[in-house]
Amino acid sequence: MDFKGRHLLTLFDFTTEEIKYFLDLGGELKKEFKEHGGHPNREPLKKSLGMMFEKTSTRTRVSFEAGIWELGGQPIFLSFRDTQLVGTGETPGDTAQVLSRYLGGIMARVYKHKTLQDLAKYSTIPVINGLCNLYHPCQILADLQTIREHKGKLKGLKLVYVGDGNNVCHSLLIGCTKMGMDVSVVCPDDYRPDEKITKKVLEIAKKMGTKLEITKDIPSGVKNADVVYTDTWISMGDEAQKEIRLKIFKDYTVNKELMGHAKSDAIFLHCLPAHRGYEVTDEVIDSKQSVVFDEAENRKHSQKAVLLAFMKD
Ligand code: CP
Ligand code: NVA
């Protein structure tokens, strides 16, 4: 696999085989870490990762920071607020050219996907999307690793995403379809996933021979689900719409009744942070079916695979 000169902005840019490579390597790194508490048989990475955050984070920051350190590299945390991007309005292009002279890679969490594209355009080092308005690819690599661990496979499974057709939903549509899974999105009419992204995913689904369904009907959408997934109704940046969103999504809580429409051995995933009592009830997220903390753990393992793939000489 050759990832030289490439960036990880969206899973659209990666083949089924490349995604599988990340998952396999993530699995290997997880095993090594469990056995040795590190990677004693690998050459240390000895490179720095700039971690730029325009929005808050717990998992992405900590998993990347711990991950690069465990590989023998170094993290440098850069809050947008404290950089000249915001301080003096330095452009993403100039910022990327400067950072390319110091670092081995950039991970960025931003509001607009365009900011990532601008960083990538001028960067001579890999730029990794740590979440933007449209995508959250690193989350989905961890999700796929988690599903494969619990179900033993991906191909042929049905994942049902319940809630807002947001960044996480978009990346799930792409990643799951590329891995041969059927995807059903259960959401209110006005909160369907982006039309252009859906169209592109439909083309992939056609090639892969998988199904993609978008419906507002919970019982039929969730039927036969192997995986039930939800995310917040109010993503970072959507706070002004809080009141209206709480009303519109109130029937889309993943509760015991909703899980009853899925297969009896279905697993529950959530990228976290969870808003208990809103998109998911305690009884579901704390149930035996829930694998949300394995999922959160796998952020670190699967991202270490990404860091090695993109940053190793
Ligand atoms: N799932 C996820 O990206 O979590 P954080 O916002 O805490 O990074
Ligand atoms: N959709 C959420 C994901 C948080 C990890 C957001 O963008 O805020």
Side-chain angles (χ1 to χ4, degrees):
M1 295 287 156
D2 192 6
F3 298 98
K4 230 177 160 207
R6 294 171 66 184
H7 306 285
L8 172 46
L9 302 193
T10 160
L11 293 175
F12 273 135
D13 299 336
F14 295 84
T15 63
T16 301
E17 290 68 34
E18 286 170 338
I19 296 173
K20 187 170 175 293
Y21 176 85
F22 292 134
L23 303 184
D24 290 347
L25 183 53
E28 256 175 63
L29 291 163
K30 181 172 185 173
K31 198 163 163 261
E32 276 174 32
F33 192 77
K34 300 266 174 203
E35 274 171 19
H36 308 290
H39 307 285
N41 301 322
R42 286 181 192 268
E43 211 184 303
L45 194 52
K46 285 193 183 156
K47 285 190 183 175
S48 300
L49 177 73
M51 306 185 359
M52 306 178 68
F53 283 90
E54 197 176 7
K55 304 179 189 177
T56 51
S57 165
T58 297
R59 278 143 291 270
T60 305
R61 175 177 176 179
V62 179
S63 56
F64 266 109
E65 196 157 333
I68 184 89
W69 183 80
E70 287 166 12
L71 290 171
Q74 161 176 259
I76 299 177
F77 177 74
L78 295 160
S79 158
F80 264 47
R81 253 200 329 271
D82 303 326
T83 64
Q84 301 295 21
L85 260 172
V86 172
T88 57
E90 189 170 19
T91 64
D94 287 350
T95 305
Q97 291 188 70
V98 171
L99 293 182
S100 297
R101 304 284 178 117
Y102 303 139
L103 304 169
I106 296 171
M107 190 282 301
R109 166 167 288 194
V110 300
Y111 280 102
K112 293 187 192 139
H113 187 64
K114 171 83 167 55
T115 307
L116 287 167
Q117 288 173 322
D118 289 346
L119 285 171
K121 187 171 168 195
Y122 292 97
S123 174
T124 56
I125 53 175
V127 176
I128 298 163
N129 183 352
L131 181 146
C132 65
N133 59 325
L134 292 180
Y135 307 109
H136 197 359
C138 293
Q139 177 66 52
I140 276 53
L141 293 177
D143 299 340
L144 291 169
Q145 188 171 338
T146 309
I147 297 166
R148 202 173 68 167
E149 277 172 9
H150 283 272
K151 293 282 170 197
K153 62 173 186 178
L154 294 172
K155 199 168 187 265
L157 295 180
K158 174 178 174 178
L159 178 138
V160 178
Y161 176 91
V162 183
D164 185 20
N166 62 13
N167 45 7
V168 169
C169 175
H170 292 155
S171 288
L172 274 172
L173 283 172
I174 305 163
C176 293
T177 304
K178 286 202 174 205
M179 297 316 287
M181 296 169 69
D182 294 334
V183 186
S184 185
V185 179
V186 180
C187 61
D189 278 338
D190 291 341
Y191 293 85
R192 291 160 74 97
D194 177 85
E195 250 178 61
K196 268 197 213 153
I197 293 175
T198 306
K199 237 178 153 179
K200 276 175 83 173
V201 172
L202 272 170
E203 281 165 26
I204 303 168
K206 218 169 158 187
K207 273 192 214 136
M208 295 298 300
T210 64
K211 288 188 210 118
L212 165 57
E213 171 199 33
I214 303 175
T215 174
K216 61 181 172 193
D217 185 60
I218 293 172
S220 68
V222 179
K223 200 174 167 211
N224 282 327
D226 297 288
V227 183
V228 177
Y229 197 121
T230 192
D231 181 19
T232 183
W233 298 334
I234 303 148
S235 284
M236 291 178 273
D238 291 339
E239 292 81 359
Q241 299 165 29
K242 183 171 174 186
E243 290 316 312
I244 177 105
R245 281 175 173 261
L246 290 184
K247 275 190 206 140
I248 287 171
F249 284 102
K250 73 175 178 12
D251 296 331
Y252 289 84
T253 303
V254 177
N255 52 25
K256 226 174 152 187
E257 189 191 339
L258 185 146
M259 289 300 288
H261 297 295
K263 284 188 183 164
S264 59
D265 63 350
I267 53 174
F268 171 74
L269 273 79
H270 188 314
C271 58
L272 304 179
H275 304 82
R276 290 166 174 259
Y278 293 93
E279 73 268 12
V280 62
T281 58
D282 284 340
E283 60 179 357
V284 170
I285 198 167
D286 295 329
S287 71
K288 281 205 179 108
Q289 284 170 284
S290 171
V291 296
V292 297
F293 299 112
D294 290 347
E295 181 186 5
E297 177 186 336
N298 282 336
R299 288 294 301 277
K300 190 181 75 170
H301 305 300
S302 56
Q303 285 161 193
K304 280 161 91 170
V306 168
L307 292 172
L308 277 187
F310 281 88
M311 287 171 65
K312 202 164 160 270
D313 287 323

